[in-house]
Amino acid sequence: MLPRRIPLLPRLYAFRKRTKFSTMTGSAQVKRNPHPEFKSVESSRPPFDEGTSFSYTKTIKTDWVPGSGANNDDWKKHKTVEIDPYGEGRKPVDNYKLLISGIIPRPIGFVSTISLDGLSTNLGPFSYTALVNHDPPIFCIGFSGGVDNPKDSCRNILETKECTINVISEFFQEAANYTSINAPHGISEWALSGLTPAKSTKVRPDRVAESVFSVEAVYRAHHEWVSPGSGKGSGVLVILEAISLAKLATLIIDGGWGVLGVNFHVREDALNEEGNIIDPAVLKPVSRLGGISYSRTTSGFELPRPEFRKEVEKEEIKGLVKPKAEGQ
């Protein structure tokens, strides 16, 4: 376990006393779907362009120079609105909607797990997912709800210490979305979606055979978040690792869990000869926006990372090198 959170500030205690609400973000409360009749709205839109393939474009301003800032001044025409996430009358669902519509696009961890007794599996998409380190490979997944009432995927990971993380591609986005259905415990999302389970090599949960890129991962730590409004668990952060066999052996000797290790799985036509780059044109990843909106990745641009030692040698850069306290 990670260290428990620090004590809440006095103003948060006051907020807790004057505000009563549920910390849950179920579909009924969140009201993600903004359309009374979604199919009729969808029918008015242009068709999905399957012919669009990933391509590189130039960046917006190829003649941008250091110190010139943004490409236009439109931002000066608008004021900003300051929002206190714990302000009077503000509910957790308001912050939820604000954050998922502002922190975009978000990678989706399509997580496959199995119950401790091996009798039940679970498959679902989680957009609170991130890669946070590469050596060792570390992944974080955020689950809504506390450890006393966890989602099935969260419970399975905490009990079995393993899972697979699969990347969602365009060609099975509808099936992946369908696994987010609020099916009762024990009902198979695999069958409901029609997706294909493929046996993992080193962990028990199956990977998604359709996925261009999958990771077999093991549990490293978790931390429960507590709502300042109700004092109840509102979320769980789970840290997962793609662990080496050597390190795993050390963990087992030290009393760790009895799994055999983990792997990456990459579809052969997506992987370069060196085995270190996945082609986005083959991966065709789907990311999460706000509400019920998703996003495609159809184009990209390249921007080299500047190196200070070389840049500072340029005359036009020397005048921009100032102490951080000056005008910052």
Side-chain angles (χ1 to χ4, degrees):
M1 288 282 291
L2 295 177
R4 295 292 295 178
R5 64 187 176 88
I6 61 174
L8 293 171
L9 297 175
R11 75 181 183 93
L12 298 188
Y13 282 119
F15 172 76
R16 177 186 298 176
K17 291 179 180 179
R18 70 174 186 264
T19 311
K20 294 182 179 180
F21 51 73
S22 169
T23 61
M24 298 303 290
T25 52
S27 297
Q29 181 183 356
V30 176
K31 298 179 181 178
R32 295 181 181 86
N33 185 2
H35 314 294
E37 295 292 337
F38 175 74
K39 282 299 180 181
S40 63
V41 173
E42 185 183 46
S43 65
S44 67
R45 296 170 175 169
F48 188 93
D49 186 0
E50 293 189 69
T52 300
S53 58
F54 183 86
S55 62
Y56 283 102
T57 69
K58 297 178 181 178
T59 185
I60 295 176
K61 191 173 178 62
T62 57
D63 59 350
W64 184 92
V65 296
S68 60
N71 295 330
N72 61 61
D73 291 335
D74 288 350
W75 59 275
K76 294 182 178 179
K77 303 175 184 178
H78 306 279
K79 297 179 179 178
T80 59
V81 178
E82 186 174 350
I83 298 175
D84 181 350
Y86 301 108
E88 185 74 42
R90 190 169 180 85
K91 300 180 290 295
V93 68
D94 296 324
N95 295 330
Y96 169 75
K97 288 185 174 183
L98 181 76
L99 292 171
I100 66 168
S101 62
I103 308 300
I104 60 172
R106 298 187 307 284
I108 306 170
F110 198 24
V111 179
S112 168
T113 60
I114 189 169
S115 62
L116 186 61
D117 59 13
L119 299 178
S120 178
T121 60
N122 203 75
L123 180 65
F126 296 91
S127 68
Y128 288 177
T129 300
L131 166 68
V132 295
N133 197 59
H134 68 279
D135 187 18
I138 298 292
F139 308 84
C140 287
I141 301 177
F143 297 95
S144 298
V147 294
D148 59 336
N149 185 33
K151 291 181 178 292
D152 289 344
S153 295
C154 182
R155 177 190 294 108
N156 290 345
I157 292 174
L158 295 182
E159 291 181 349
T160 67
K161 313 299 185 187
E162 54 186 356
C163 70
T164 69
I165 303 172
N166 308 270
V167 173
I168 298 174
S169 296
E170 292 177 6
F171 65 90
F172 64 95
Q173 58 193 16
E174 294 86 359
N177 175 71
Y178 204 76
T179 65
S180 65
I181 190 171
N182 57 339
H185 178 73
I187 298 298
S188 171
E189 290 86 6
W190 292 96
L192 288 170
S193 66
L195 291 172
T196 309
K199 291 300 180 184
S200 298
T201 307
K202 306 293 177 60
V203 299
R204 289 194 303 160
D206 292 331
R207 60 184 175 86
V208 178
E210 289 83 353
S211 184
V212 176
F213 181 47
S214 298
V215 177
E216 300 182 36
V218 294
Y219 167 98
R220 294 299 285 125
H222 77 277
H223 179 73
E224 181 181 36
W225 307 110
V226 177
S227 166
S230 67
K232 297 180 180 179
S234 58
V236 179
L237 167 70
V238 174
I239 301 174
L240 301 157
E241 179 178 351
I243 196 170
S244 68
L245 287 172
K247 187 171 182 181
L248 183 66
T250 301
L251 287 171
I252 293 174
I253 292 173
D254 291 340
W257 47 93
V259 296
L260 297 177
V262 297
N263 286 336
F264 297 143
H265 297 267
V266 188
R267 207 172 82 182
E268 59 181 2
D269 60 329
L271 192 63
N272 67 346
E273 291 185 2
E274 292 77 16
N276 57 16
I277 294 178
I278 297 174
D279 186 351
V282 179
L283 184 62
K284 294 185 177 181
V286 175
S287 58
R288 201 71 162 88
L289 304 178
I292 61 173
S293 301
Y294 290 80
S295 176
R296 307 173 68 186
T297 302
T298 57
S299 66
F301 53 85
E302 296 179 319
L303 286 170
R305 180 174 296 188
E307 185 178 343
F308 183 80
R309 180 178 58 82
K310 294 181 179 179
E311 291 293 301
V312 77
E313 293 177 355
K314 301 175 182 178
E315 289 299 323
E316 63 271 25
I317 304 297
K318 291 179 179 179
L320 299 175
V321 181
K322 301 177 181 180
K324 288 189 175 182
E326 185 177 334
Q328 298 179 22

